[in-house]
Amino acid sequence: PPALQVKKPYSIGGPFYMVEGTTDPGCTVFINDEEVDVESNGHFKKLISFNKVGRNSVVAKAVNAAGKQTIQSETVLVEE
């Protein structure tokens, strides 16, 4: 399965959070089921927003050309 490292999502104001990490070059990455652009070196980042206050989960999934996948989940606490 592909490598996948996801940093703790960080707030950039209000309900908006930046999620970034690295995977093997050539993999496809999805964050909360949305495809993310992966740079040639395997780095990716995505701006996401949460609709609810409290605990929200961020699920990152890397899929390689053979269809093998790695999933990593983080929890984000959104405050009012």
Side-chain angles (χ1 to χ4, degrees), residues 27-70:
C27 285
T28 304
V29 172
F30 298 88
I31 294 179
N32 290 354
D33 294 326
E34 282 188 39
E35 191 170 338
V36 181
D37 289 332
V38 179
E39 296 171 18
S40 58
N41 63 1
H43 183 264
F44 61 87
K45 65 181 177 182
K46 169 115 174 117
L47 177 66
I48 59 173
S49 65
F50 296 106
N51 298 326
K52 68 182 180 87
V53 172
R55 291 189 177 282
N56 291 271
S57 63
V58 176
V59 179
K61 177 170 68 174
V63 182
N64 67 14
K68 295 198 182 310
Q69 58 186 28
T70 302

Side-chain angles (χ1 to χ4, degrees), residues 6-36:
V6 181
K7 295 180 185 168
K8 186 81 176 149
Y10 56 91
S11 174
I12 59 167
F16 298 101
Y17 282 75
M18 185 63 71
V19 180
E20 62 180 307
T22 54
T23 187
D24 295 334
C27 285
T28 304
V29 172
F30 298 88
I31 294 179
N32 290 354
D33 294 326
E34 282 188 39
E35 191 170 338
V36 181

